PDB file of all heavy atoms in Angstrom:
ATOM      1  N   GLY D  91      99.701  91.922  92.617  1.00 98.00           N
ATOM      2  CA  GLY D  91     100.519  92.093  93.811  1.00 98.00           C
ATOM      3  C   GLY D  91     101.971  92.317  93.450  1.00 98.00           C
ATOM      4  O   GLY D  91     102.488  91.695  92.515  1.00 98.00           O
ATOM      5  N   GLU D  92     102.614  93.195  94.186  1.00 98.00           N
ATOM      6  CA  GLU D  92     104.046  93.410  93.981  1.00 98.00           C
ATOM      7  C   GLU D  92     104.639  94.060  95.216  1.00 98.00           C
ATOM      8  O   GLU D  92     103.942  94.662  96.035  1.00 98.00           O
ATOM      9  CB  GLU D  92     104.324  94.270  92.754  1.00 98.00           C
ATOM     10  CG  GLU D  92     103.910  95.718  92.871  1.00 98.00           C
ATOM     11  CD  GLU D  92     104.279  96.545  91.634  1.00 98.00           C
ATOM     12  OE1 GLU D  92     105.076  96.075  90.804  1.00 98.00           O
ATOM     13  OE2 GLU D  92     103.765  97.674  91.510  1.00 98.00           O
ATOM     14  N   GLY D  93     105.943  93.915  95.334  1.00 98.00           N
ATOM     15  CA  GLY D  93     106.684  94.567  96.396  1.00 98.00           C
ATOM     16  C   GLY D  93     108.074  94.901  95.897  1.00 98.00           C
ATOM     17  O   GLY D  93     108.584  94.279  94.960  1.00 98.00           O
ATOM     18  N   ASP D  94     108.688  95.879  96.538  1.00 96.00           N
ATOM     19  CA  ASP D  94     109.986  96.395  96.129  1.00 96.00           C
ATOM     20  C   ASP D  94     110.918  96.331  97.324  1.00 96.00           C
ATOM     21  O   ASP D  94     110.508  96.598  98.459  1.00 96.00           O
ATOM     22  CB  ASP D  94     109.809  97.846  95.659  1.00 96.00           C
ATOM     23  CG  ASP D  94     111.112  98.597  95.567  1.00 96.00           C
ATOM     24  OD1 ASP D  94     111.778  98.498  94.531  1.00 96.00           O
ATOM     25  OD2 ASP D  94     111.462  99.305  96.532  1.00 96.00           O
ATOM     26  N   ALA D  95     112.161  95.949  97.100  1.00 97.00           N
ATOM     27  CA  ALA D  95     113.132  95.898  98.198  1.00 97.00           C
ATOM     28  C   ALA D  95     114.456  96.489  97.766  1.00 97.00           C
ATOM     29  O   ALA D  95     114.856  96.374  96.598  1.00 97.00           O
ATOM     30  CB  ALA D  95     113.343  94.459  98.670  1.00 97.00           C
ATOM     31  N   GLY D  96     115.120  97.103  98.731  1.00 97.00           N
ATOM     32  CA  GLY D  96     116.483  97.548  98.513  1.00 97.00           C
ATOM     33  C   GLY D  96     117.452  96.474  98.980  1.00 97.00           C
ATOM     34  O   GLY D  96     117.131  95.296  99.017  1.00 97.00           O
ATOM     35  N   GLY D  97     118.656  96.888  99.336  1.00 96.00           N
ATOM     36  CA  GLY D  97     119.659  95.940  99.795  1.00 96.00           C
ATOM     37  C   GLY D  97     120.631  95.565  98.698  1.00 96.00           C
ATOM     38  O   GLY D  97     121.010  96.393  97.864  1.00 96.00           O
ATOM     39  N   THR D  98     121.011  94.287  98.664  1.00 97.00           N
ATOM     40  CA  THR D  98     122.042  93.838  97.723  1.00 97.00           C
ATOM     41  C   THR D  98     121.612  92.630  96.897  1.00 97.00           C
ATOM     42  O   THR D  98     122.379  92.166  96.054  1.00 97.00           O
ATOM     43  CB  THR D  98     123.336  93.480  98.483  1.00 97.00           C
ATOM     44  OG1 THR D  98     123.054  92.432  99.429  1.00 97.00           O
ATOM     45  CG2 THR D  98     123.885  94.686  99.232  1.00 97.00           C
ATOM     46  N   TRP D  99     120.391  92.119  97.127  1.00 98.00           N
ATOM     47  CA  TRP D  99     119.980  90.908  96.418  1.00 98.00           C
ATOM     48  C   TRP D  99     119.800  91.175  94.918  1.00 98.00           C
ATOM     49  O   TRP D  99     120.230  90.355  94.089  1.00 98.00           O
ATOM     50  CB  TRP D  99     118.681  90.359  97.007  1.00 98.00           C
ATOM     51  CG  TRP D  99     118.355  88.976  96.536  1.00 98.00           C
ATOM     52  CD1 TRP D  99     118.713  87.793  97.122  1.00 98.00           C
ATOM     53  CD2 TRP D  99     117.619  88.620  95.345  1.00 98.00           C
ATOM     54  NE1 TRP D  99     118.246  86.727  96.381  1.00 98.00           N
ATOM     55  CE2 TRP D  99     117.575  87.201  95.290  1.00 98.00           C
ATOM     56  CE3 TRP D  99     117.005  89.354  94.333  1.00 98.00           C
ATOM     57  CZ2 TRP D  99     116.925  86.521  94.262  1.00 98.00           C
ATOM     58  CZ3 TRP D  99     116.367  88.668  93.296  1.00 98.00           C
ATOM     59  CH2 TRP D  99     116.328  87.267  93.273  1.00 98.00           C
ATOM     60  N   GLY D 100     119.171  92.280  94.550  1.00 97.00           N
ATOM     61  CA  GLY D 100     118.959  92.589  93.141  1.00 97.00           C
ATOM     62  C   GLY D 100     120.262  92.668  92.358  1.00 97.00           C
ATOM     63  O   GLY D 100     120.423  91.990  91.327  1.00 97.00           O
ATOM     64  N   PRO D 101     121.238  93.487  92.808  1.00 97.00           N
ATOM     65  CA  PRO D 101     122.534  93.496  92.127  1.00 97.00           C
ATOM     66  C   PRO D 101     123.212  92.132  92.155  1.00 97.00           C
ATOM     67  O   PRO D 101     123.925  91.767  91.209  1.00 97.00           O
ATOM     68  CB  PRO D 101     123.341  94.527  92.924  1.00 97.00           C
ATOM     69  CG  PRO D 101     122.306  95.427  93.520  1.00 97.00           C
ATOM     70  CD  PRO D 101     121.132  94.547  93.829  1.00 97.00           C
ATOM     71  N   GLY D 102     122.970  91.355  93.237  1.00 97.00           N
ATOM     72  CA  GLY D 102     123.544  90.014  93.311  1.00 97.00           C
ATOM     73  C   GLY D 102     123.027  89.109  92.217  1.00 97.00           C
ATOM     74  O   GLY D 102     123.789  88.352  91.593  1.00 97.00           O
ATOM     75  N   LEU D 103     121.718  89.172  91.954  1.00 98.00           N
ATOM     76  CA  LEU D 103     121.156  88.387  90.854  1.00 98.00           C
ATOM     77  C   LEU D 103     121.717  88.851  89.517  1.00 98.00           C
ATOM     78  O   LEU D 103     122.053  88.034  88.655  1.00 98.00           O
ATOM     79  CB  LEU D 103     119.630  88.503  90.853  1.00 98.00           C
ATOM     80  CG  LEU D 103     118.923  87.832  89.667  1.00 98.00           C
ATOM     81  CD1 LEU D 103     119.172  86.333  89.663  1.00 98.00           C
ATOM     82  CD2 LEU D 103     117.430  88.136  89.686  1.00 98.00           C
ATOM     83  N   LYS D 104     121.830  90.157  89.363  1.00 97.00           N
ATOM     84  CA  LYS D 104     122.337  90.696  88.100  1.00 97.00           C
ATOM     85  C   LYS D 104     123.771  90.199  87.844  1.00 97.00           C
ATOM     86  O   LYS D 104     124.142  89.898  86.705  1.00 97.00           O
ATOM     87  CB  LYS D 104     122.296  92.222  88.176  1.00 97.00           C
ATOM     88  CG  LYS D 104     122.253  92.925  86.843  1.00 97.00           C
ATOM     89  CD  LYS D 104     120.910  92.797  86.152  1.00 97.00           C
ATOM     90  CE  LYS D 104     120.816  93.730  84.964  1.00 97.00           C
ATOM     91  NZ  LYS D 104     120.712  95.133  85.349  1.00 97.00           N
ATOM     92  N   ARG D 105     124.560  90.104  88.888  1.00 97.00           N
ATOM     93  CA  ARG D 105     125.939  89.616  88.732  1.00 97.00           C
ATOM     94  C   ARG D 105     125.988  88.130  88.381  1.00 97.00           C
ATOM     95  O   ARG D 105     127.048  87.617  88.002  1.00 97.00           O
ATOM     96  CB  ARG D 105     126.747  89.899  89.999  1.00 97.00           C
ATOM     97  CG  ARG D 105     127.104  91.378  90.186  1.00 97.00           C
ATOM     98  CD  ARG D 105     128.161  91.566  91.272  1.00 97.00           C
ATOM     99  NE  ARG D 105     127.644  91.192  92.577  1.00 97.00           N
ATOM    100  CZ  ARG D 105     127.015  92.024  93.402  1.00 97.00           C
ATOM    101  NH1 ARG D 105     126.827  93.283  93.045  1.00 97.00           N
ATOM    102  NH2 ARG D 105     126.593  91.609  94.574  1.00 97.00           N
ATOM    103  N   CYS D 106     124.865  87.440  88.520  1.00 97.00           N
ATOM    104  CA  CYS D 106     124.788  86.040  88.094  1.00 97.00           C
ATOM    105  C   CYS D 106     124.505  85.917  86.602  1.00 97.00           C
ATOM    106  O   CYS D 106     124.498  84.803  86.054  1.00 97.00           O
ATOM    107  CB  CYS D 106     123.690  85.309  88.876  1.00 97.00           C
ATOM    108  SG  CYS D 106     124.051  85.089  90.622  1.00 97.00           S
ATOM    109  N   GLY D 107     124.220  87.040  85.941  1.00 97.00           N
ATOM    110  CA  GLY D 107     123.967  87.010  84.510  1.00 97.00           C
ATOM    111  C   GLY D 107     122.511  86.889  84.141  1.00 97.00           C
ATOM    112  O   GLY D 107     122.189  86.498  83.011  1.00 97.00           O
ATOM    113  N   TYR D 108     121.615  87.251  85.079  1.00 98.00           N
ATOM    114  CA  TYR D 108     120.180  87.186  84.808  1.00 98.00           C
ATOM    115  C   TYR D 108     119.521  88.519  85.134  1.00 98.00           C
ATOM    116  O   TYR D 108     119.902  89.216  86.085  1.00 98.00           O
ATOM    117  CB  TYR D 108     119.524  86.093  85.646  1.00 98.00           C
ATOM    118  CG  TYR D 108     119.968  84.696  85.281  1.00 98.00           C
ATOM    119  CD1 TYR D 108     120.814  83.977  86.117  1.00 98.00           C
ATOM    120  CD2 TYR D 108     119.538  84.098  84.098  1.00 98.00           C
ATOM    121  CE1 TYR D 108     121.229  82.697  85.782  1.00 98.00           C
ATOM    122  CE2 TYR D 108     119.948  82.819  83.751  1.00 98.00           C
ATOM    123  CZ  TYR D 108     120.792  82.119  84.602  1.00 98.00           C
ATOM    124  OH  TYR D 108     121.204  80.860  84.262  1.00 98.00           O
ATOM    125  N   ASP D 109     118.502  88.849  84.348  1.00 98.00           N
ATOM    126  CA  ASP D 109     117.688  90.033  84.619  1.00 98.00           C
ATOM    127  C   ASP D 109     116.558  89.724  85.590  1.00 98.00           C
ATOM    128  O   ASP D 109     116.015  90.631  86.216  1.00 98.00           O
ATOM    129  CB  ASP D 109     117.086  90.584  83.320  1.00 98.00           C
ATOM    130  CG  ASP D 109     118.157  90.975  82.319  1.00 98.00           C
ATOM    131  OD1 ASP D 109     119.169  91.568  82.732  1.00 98.00           O
ATOM    132  OD2 ASP D 109     117.985  90.666  81.117  1.00 98.00           O
ATOM    133  N   GLY D 110     116.185  88.456  85.683  1.00 98.00           N
ATOM    134  CA  GLY D 110     115.105  88.082  86.586  1.00 98.00           C
ATOM    135  C   GLY D 110     114.989  86.582  86.708  1.00 98.00           C
ATOM    136  O   GLY D 110     115.652  85.814  85.998  1.00 98.00           O
ATOM    137  N   ILE D 111     114.141  86.151  87.653  1.00 98.00           N
ATOM    138  CA  ILE D 111     113.833  84.737  87.853  1.00 98.00           C
ATOM    139  C   ILE D 111     112.325  84.601  87.938  1.00 98.00           C
ATOM    140  O   ILE D 111     111.668  85.350  88.685  1.00 98.00           O
ATOM    141  CB  ILE D 111     114.460  84.181  89.155  1.00 98.00           C
ATOM    142  CG1 ILE D 111     115.981  84.387  89.189  1.00 98.00           C
ATOM    143  CG2 ILE D 111     114.129  82.700  89.316  1.00 98.00           C
ATOM    144  CD1 ILE D 111     116.620  83.916  90.494  1.00 98.00           C
ATOM    145  N   ILE D 112     111.758  83.658  87.221  1.00 98.00           N
ATOM    146  CA  ILE D 112     110.338  83.340  87.330  1.00 98.00           C
ATOM    147  C   ILE D 112     110.221  81.917  87.852  1.00 98.00           C
ATOM    148  O   ILE D 112     110.716  80.970  87.226  1.00 98.00           O
ATOM    149  CB  ILE D 112     109.621  83.471  85.972  1.00 98.00           C
ATOM    150  CG1 ILE D 112     109.773  84.902  85.439  1.00 98.00           C
ATOM    151  CG2 ILE D 112     108.153  83.095  86.108  1.00 98.00           C
ATOM    152  CD1 ILE D 112     109.179  85.104  84.063  1.00 98.00           C
ATOM    153  N   ILE D 113     109.576  81.784  89.020  1.00 98.00           N
ATOM    154  CA  ILE D 113     109.455  80.484  89.676  1.00 98.00           C
ATOM    155  C   ILE D 113     108.000  80.044  89.628  1.00 98.00           C
ATOM    156  O   ILE D 113     107.113  80.741  90.132  1.00 98.00           O
ATOM    157  CB  ILE D 113     109.971  80.555  91.128  1.00 98.00           C
ATOM    158  CG1 ILE D 113     111.443  80.984  91.138  1.00 98.00           C
ATOM    159  CG2 ILE D 113     109.796  79.198  91.816  1.00 98.00           C
ATOM    160  CD1 ILE D 113     112.018  81.243  92.500  1.00 98.00           C
TER     161      ILE D 113
END
Side-chain angles (χ1 to χ4, degrees):
E92 69 177 346
D94 164 85
T98 60
W99 192 91
L103 174 62
K104 203 73 169 289
R105 287 193 294 271
C106 292
Y108 294 107
D109 300 318
I111 304 177
I112 301 176
I113 300 173

